[in-house]
């Protein structure tokens, strides 16, 4: 979902700074915390982590790791350290981002903190945003604005697929034929986007049928993106939209589907066979402005989808649709996910799962040689999943981008 400014607007800008090129960091040492090197790992208590130039150079117990004399030290006693979090479904669509390439840094930093960095996010996927997000990414990577690594995707809608929740005057990139979809995808690739988001289902209102994207149209865009090793996300709205995801070979479903009670065995088999991942965005549906009994029924549906998807062995990625919704606090998402997943599985959706799925080979773990991206938590997330939202420090590439007051 998006609210204003969609992927087509990116056609007017050039994304000159790639993700991940943050300025070189100083030597940083985290002392005294308990470390989970990965969600499955046995925790290391009274630990020392040394980073240099944005990379982890040593991890071990106190007394086993030499601390460089010129390092900045952060006392993490009583805290838990995990790899930096990924949010694989965000939007930079709010008014504050409208001139992000040139606006004063202070209000942008404050909103970045409110929306993302105070919740531990060091990497995000923007699935349709204000065109100025290109300038925002440049400034984040130049250390002007403390923020996460940002990947960008452009959107393609089906013909007559203008969603009811977007202003009617907004011009959207609609593809009626495979040729049109392929051309849009090529333009997105030419300007340096990292992926594409397809609306395989478009919500037109409660009293109107969903407009679905033909699978052949979706596949044309997928083929262009995959030829360049880029990711394709999809927004399904119903069973037909999910079938288009499968037929087209989409990589990631950006939402669960509110009205579908579960995934049938045939769909689950295809998800696993094709390596399709899921960002469930459960709190989005839990906050729908509907009667409580309807919302409860929807939440039961989507939690059931997440549970069957995970138990089937497919990849779950954390994502909240934040920026479209203003629920910045991630606690509810963790609580809802925990109805279907273990604490370690929720942590994996934030760390190892996205790093492995998106082939970010130096992210997702707290190990020597990996990127120095961390979330320092006030409590143990394996003891209580809600502790994932209790962030004391967010560190990206060895630099503190958020510190709890």
């Amino acid at each position: 979902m998006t609210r204003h400014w969609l992927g087509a607007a990116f056609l007017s800008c050039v994304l000159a700074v790639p993700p991940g090129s943050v300025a070189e960091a100083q030597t940083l040492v985290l002392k005294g915390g308990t470390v989970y090197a990965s969600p499955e790992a046995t925790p290391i208590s009274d630990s020392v982590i040394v980073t240099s130039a944005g990379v982890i150079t040593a991890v071990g117990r106190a007394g086993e790791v030499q601390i460089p004399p010129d390092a900045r030290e952060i006392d993490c006693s009583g805290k838990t350290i995990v790899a930096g979090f990924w949010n694989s479904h965000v939007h930079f669509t709010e008014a504050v981002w409208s001139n992000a390439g040139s606006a004063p840094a202070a209000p942008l930093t404050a909103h970045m903190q409110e929306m993302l960095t105070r919740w531990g996010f060091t990497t995000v996927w923007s699935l349709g945003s204000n065109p100025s997000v290109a300038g925002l990414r440049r400034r984040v990577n130049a250390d002007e604005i403390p923020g996460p690594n940002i990947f960008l995707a452009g959107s393609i809608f089906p013909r007559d697929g203008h969603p009811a929740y977007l202003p009617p005057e907004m011009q959207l990139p609609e593809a009626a034929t495979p040729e049109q979809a392929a051309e849009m995808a090529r333009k997105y690739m030419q300007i340096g986007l990292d992926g594409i988001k397809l609306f395989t289902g478009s919500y037109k209102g409660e009293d109107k049928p969903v407009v679905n994207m033909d699978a052949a149209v979706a596949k044309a865009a997928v083929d262009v993106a995959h030829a360049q090793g880029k990711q394709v996300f999809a927004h399904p709205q119903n069973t037909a939209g999910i079938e288009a995801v499968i037929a087209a070979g989409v990589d990631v479903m950006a939402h669960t589907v509110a009205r579908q009670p579960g995934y049938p065995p045939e769909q689950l088999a295809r998800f696993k066979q094709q390596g399709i991942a899921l960002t469930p965005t459960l709190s989005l549906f839990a906050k729908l402005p509907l009667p409580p009994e309807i919302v409860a029924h929807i939440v039961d549906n989507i939690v059931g989808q997440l549970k069957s998807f995970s138990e089937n062995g497919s990849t779950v990625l954390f994502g909240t649709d934040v920026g479209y919704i203003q629920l910045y606090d991630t606690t509810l998402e963790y609580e809802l996910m925990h109805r279907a997943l273990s604490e370690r599985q929720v942590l994996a959706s934030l760390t190892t799962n996205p790093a492995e799925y998106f082939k970010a080979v130096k992210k997702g773990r707290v190990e020597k040689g990996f990127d120095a991206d961390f979330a320092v938590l006030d409590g143990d997330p394996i003891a209580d999943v809600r502790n994932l939202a209790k962030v004391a420090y967010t560190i990206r590439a060895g630099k503190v981008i958020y510190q709890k007051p």
Side-chain angles (χ1 to χ4, degrees), residues 118-325:
R118 70 162 293 182
W119 308 108
F121 296 117
T122 57
T123 304
V124 301
W125 267 98
S126 172
L127 303 186
S129 294
N130 190 299
S132 66
V133 72
L136 175 65
R137 182 164 80 173
R138 172 184 54 77
R139 296 178 73 184
V140 167
N141 288 341
D143 264 359
E144 294 178 33
I145 298 168
N149 189 40
I150 301 171
F151 291 100
L152 299 171
S155 300
I156 302 176
F157 291 79
R159 181 176 57 185
D160 300 324
H162 197 299
Y165 48 80
L166 296 178
E169 68 277 7
M170 185 184 298
Q171 298 296 308
L172 301 181
E174 296 183 2
T177 66
E179 292 75 19
Q180 290 175 344
E183 179 60 21
M184 288 179 185
R186 281 192 289 270
K187 288 180 179 178
Y188 285 141
M189 298 301 97
Q190 288 167 4
I191 62 171
L193 295 191
D194 306 297
I196 297 171
K197 181 183 179 183
L198 304 174
F199 281 72
T200 59
S202 188
Y203 175 75
K204 302 292 288 184
E206 284 296 313
D207 57 341
K208 297 179 181 178
V210 170
V211 173
N212 290 298
M213 180 177 285
D214 185 82
V217 174
K219 189 175 187 304
V222 169
D223 288 347
V224 170
H226 284 180
Q228 297 196 31
K230 304 294 186 179
Q231 300 290 328
V232 182
F233 297 75
H235 174 128
Q237 196 74 37
N238 55 16
T239 299
I242 295 174
E243 289 300 319
V245 165
I246 294 170
V250 165
D251 300 296
V252 183
M253 290 190 293
H255 297 284
T256 43
V257 174
R259 305 296 183 182
Q260 180 168 301
Y263 297 122
E266 318 83 70
Q267 286 184 347
L268 290 170
R270 292 295 298 277
F271 293 154
K272 187 170 183 180
Q273 178 187 6
Q274 296 178 206
I276 296 172
L278 171 68
T279 58
T281 66
L282 303 179
S283 52
L284 166 71
F285 296 103
K287 291 297 185 179
L288 289 173
L290 297 171
E293 63 275 12
I294 295 178
V295 171
H297 178 67
I298 288 172
V299 169
D300 285 344
N301 282 349
I302 58 180
V303 168
Q305 289 170 37
L306 174 58
K307 184 175 178 62
S308 63
F309 190 91
S310 175
E311 289 178 348
N312 190 54
S314 296
T315 299
V316 176
L317 307 171
F318 185 87
T320 57
D321 213 355
V322 69
Y324 170 72
I325 62 170

Side-chain angles (χ1 to χ4, degrees), residues 309-380:
F309 190 91
S310 175
E311 289 178 348
N312 190 54
S314 296
T315 299
V316 176
L317 307 171
F318 185 87
T320 57
D321 213 355
V322 69
Y324 170 72
I325 62 170
Q326 281 67 56
L327 180 62
Y328 306 131
D329 188 335
T330 51
T331 304
L332 177 60
E333 189 73 24
Y334 296 136
E335 290 173 343
L336 293 171
M337 292 180 78
H338 191 230
R339 288 175 54 178
L341 307 177
S342 71
E343 291 88 354
R344 292 181 186 272
Q345 287 174 316
V346 177
L347 179 58
S349 77
L350 290 154
T351 56
T352 50
N353 286 2
E356 292 167 6
Y357 193 83
F358 296 121
K359 298 180 174 59
V361 296
K362 295 299 182 181
K363 293 187 182 295
R365 297 175 182 270
V366 184
E367 296 179 6
K368 182 178 179 180
F370 277 63
D371 291 349
D373 294 351
F374 311 107
V376 181
L377 309 174
D378 283 329
D380 186 339

